[in-house]
Amino acid sequence: MNILRLSPMELLKPLRDYQTAPIGFLWLEKLSAHYLGTSEMALRLVPLLCGLGSLFLLVALARRFLDAATIPLAVGLFAISDPLVYYASEVKQYSGDVAVALLLYLVTESLFDSHPRLVRLIFATLAGCVAIWFSFSAVFVLAGIGLAALWVAVKKNVKPSMLRLSVPAMFWAGSFLLYYVASLRESARVNHGLMMYWRDAFAPIPPKSVSDVLWYKQSFFGIFSFPAGLTFTGIAAVAAVIGANEFRKRDQGKFLCLILPIMVALLASSVHRYPFQGRLLLFLVPSLFFFLALGLQTIKRKTSETSVLAMLLAGFLFLDPTLTAAKHFVKPPEVEEARAAIDYIEKHRSRDDVLYCYYSAEFPLQYYRERGRIGPIDEIMGVASRDDWPRYMEDLNRLRGQKRVWILFSHVWRDNGADEQSFFLEHLDQIGKRVDSMQVIGASAYLYDLSSD
């Protein structure tokens, strides 16, 4: 709704309803909506192109970072990773984060040369400056690449290279500073809701308690589960550590390129500037898969080429993602099918019906109303009162006396056994009669007769 309702310049300001995204992504979405319309498919085009493009970028990068026998492992895991597939179809910026990270690794390769061509150096500098406006995580990737290139130059004692590296570094820093002043500063100041939402995703540095130490353990293994999309996280973690160590031995520059963005993101997390959790770490998945693939290849080499151990480990890692990809190819996953619930209401409603909208269903209802999927209807927007549930009953009591009231649910809040939808329905069943209902994944519609006392 921010993309559709705000002007390009308004998108530079803090978005409404606790949302945030890079301005480059928002402008691409705005452009797509302007020329292709506001359908779900038009809005999903940018993430889809980023997801598809990432496959080709990963292959190109794998050829530079891995040997021929290891490439199929990394590319295979990447191609069937469920989170990567999913975020290539959701109107969020995270598949763009992956594409930008891969592109930056490819175009900044010249920074590691002792005598890079001027054209390639300029291109790497400009690419980094632009990338910052299209991906929040580009800052971490660029910081990692810059520090890795500096380390290589210092180790080789190539002073001209150290001087040349200062040029892209200054331009990247200037681009980030400009973007921060133009947009990020104000967003960071007002987005307290997002900070609360991600309050458990900030790294405790230094750890001061057992729970702080456990945070690192959970985050380390958790990253292999999501966003990497692997089930056997213990196997994945061990293989990745072995692979990272092998990278360190073979090529410290490439090792630092892959590991330092993780460290920088963790550092940013410790000062509450970037949550280190879930979909916000999708840009790290290529690095994880490179480590993991090289780790499996190293295990195979050290246990003899005919050993079945490495093949079994690879089989375990590929098993669940492969089955999930096959299942979703046959039947695409459903998440929050609000459109189906809204369509049901439109099909079965009468002219004088009332629609009560659960507060978190407000935005799907707005979107599909503006797409013409539901006609004019007397709407009542529900209150949000997670800290005061009796207020929900007061709000529902406003509906008393109505003969036909539809209740629309989507994105229902559930936490620690609490379920707002169940609470709503229990109260409605007490004050009226349930006439009709339909449930789909993540959404539902109920029709009540509340005319009796």
Side-chain angles (χ1 to χ4, degrees):
M1 300 310 297
N2 279 288
I3 291 165
L4 299 182
R5 291 182 173 178
L6 301 181
S7 70
M9 295 311 296
E10 286 175 327
L11 290 172
L12 277 168
K13 300 176 182 178
L15 302 181
R16 300 167 185 171
D17 307 304
Y18 307 116
Q19 298 297 300
T20 184
I23 189 60
F25 168 80
L26 294 172
W27 281 345
L28 286 177
E29 284 286 341
K30 193 74 177 176
L31 194 67
S32 177
H34 178 76
Y35 286 104
L36 301 176
T38 59
S39 69
E40 297 100 318
M41 293 303 182
L43 291 169
R44 289 171 176 163
L45 179 62
V46 172
L48 177 63
L49 292 177
C50 289
L52 294 174
S54 294
L55 278 169
F56 296 95
L57 293 171
L58 184 91
V59 172
L61 188 65
R63 287 172 176 164
R64 302 183 188 188
F65 273 62
L66 302 171
D67 53 54
T70 312
I71 291 174
L73 292 171
V75 175
L77 286 171
F78 188 92
I80 61 175
S81 169
D82 194 55
L84 287 170
V85 174
Y86 174 81
Y87 284 107
S89 64
E90 183 175 85
V91 190
K92 289 284 190 179
Q93 66 267 30
Y94 306 114
S95 67
D97 290 343
V98 178
V100 167
L102 291 168
L103 188 62
L104 288 176
Y105 282 128
L106 288 168
V107 301
T108 57
E109 190 178 28
S110 60
L111 300 181
F112 293 85
D113 297 339
S114 298
H115 303 285
R117 293 172 56 187
L118 181 60
V119 174
R120 295 183 66 185
L121 191 64
I122 293 174
F123 185 68
T125 302
L126 293 177
C129 291
V130 173
I132 288 169
W133 294 68
F134 284 83
S135 170
F136 292 147
S137 57
V139 175
F140 309 134
V141 177
L142 289 171
I145 291 170
L147 291 171
L150 180 61
W151 169 262
V152 171
V154 170
K155 191 174 181 181
K156 292 180 179 179
N157 196 26
V158 183
K159 293 183 179 179
S161 295
M162 299 181 208
L163 185 61
R164 277 193 296 268
L165 286 173
S166 65
V167 176
M170 286 189 296
F171 276 94
W172 294 345
S175 178
F176 175 73
L177 182 61
L178 180 61
Y179 184 27
Y180 181 80
V181 171
S183 180
L184 286 180
R185 179 174 56 182
E186 186 66 14
S187 295
R189 188 180 66 83
V190 301
N191 251 327
H192 304 298
L194 276 177
M195 295 293 287
M196 287 300 297
Y197 180 81
W198 291 106
R199 61 186 178 276
D200 297 326
F202 297 112
I205 296 180
K208 298 178 181 178
S209 65
V210 174
S211 62
D212 287 351
V213 175
L214 290 176
W215 185 94
Y216 286 94
K217 176 191 172 187
Q218 293 165 357
S219 297
F220 175 67
F221 288 100
I223 197 172
F224 292 99
S225 174
F226 182 65
L230 302 173
T231 301
F232 297 95
T233 57
I235 295 174
V238 171
V241 169
I242 293 173
N245 186 54
E246 188 68 17
F247 255 114
R248 183 187 61 81
K249 294 177 181 177
R250 293 186 182 185
D251 191 322
Q252 287 196 357
K254 291 177 179 177
F255 166 73
L256 291 173
C257 265
L258 297 176
I259 200 71
L260 283 177
I262 302 176
M263 300 296 104
V264 178
L266 197 61
L267 184 61
S269 171
S270 72
V271 292
H272 290 217
R273 287 295 174 266
Y274 194 84
F276 195 85
Q277 192 179 88
R279 58 184 181 266
L280 280 86
L281 302 180
L282 201 70
F283 74 100
L284 297 177
V285 170
S287 300
L288 296 177
F289 285 167
F290 278 11
F291 287 145
L292 205 160
L294 186 56
L296 290 173
Q297 189 66 21
T298 303
I299 293 171
K300 180 181 178 182
R301 189 182 72 249
K302 292 191 174 182
T303 56
S304 82
E305 292 293 322
T306 58
S307 171
V308 297
L309 176 60
M311 289 186 286
L312 281 174
L313 294 178
F316 278 122
L317 293 175
F318 272 89
L319 178 62
D320 191 65
T322 302
L323 293 175
T324 300
K327 180 179 71 174
H328 288 169
F329 183 79
V330 175
K331 187 180 185 301
E334 297 176 324
V335 183
E336 287 183 358
E337 306 305 309
R339 183 178 69 178
I342 292 169
D343 286 348
Y344 187 87
I345 294 173
E346 175 64 12
K347 182 179 179 181
H348 294 88
R349 72 185 180 94
S350 300
R351 191 177 71 173
D352 297 328
D353 288 0
V354 174
L355 172 59
Y356 178 92
C357 181
Y358 172 71
Y359 66 91
S360 284
E362 174 187 359
F363 302 112
L365 180 61
Q366 288 179 5
Y367 174 80
Y368 288 114
R369 189 200 308 114
E370 293 178 12
R371 309 286 82 68
R373 299 199 75 96
I374 187 168
I377 187 172
D378 187 7
E379 294 178 13
I380 298 176
M381 191 56 57
V383 299
S385 185
R386 292 181 183 177
D387 297 325
D388 183 13
W389 282 31
R391 191 179 170 207
Y392 287 139
M393 292 189 289
E394 295 174 8
D395 197 47
L396 292 170
N397 286 338
R398 292 188 295 157
L399 305 173
R400 287 178 181 269
Q402 299 289 343
K403 179 67 176 176
R404 289 172 57 89
V405 181
W406 289 96
I407 315 295
L408 174 65
F409 290 102
S410 178
H411 204 70
V412 174
W413 185 75
R414 297 180 174 95
D415 187 45
N416 294 326
D419 185 325
E420 287 188 339
Q421 178 172 318
S422 296
F423 180 79
F424 277 50
L425 294 178
E426 182 179 347
H427 183 67
L428 288 166
D429 288 335
Q430 290 175 356
I431 65 174
K433 178 183 178 182
R434 190 181 302 186
V435 178
D436 192 8
S437 67
M438 71 86 68
Q439 296 85 35
V440 288
I441 301 297
S444 58
Y446 294 84
L447 176 61
Y448 276 87
D449 179 353
L450 302 175
S451 60
S452 60
D453 294 333

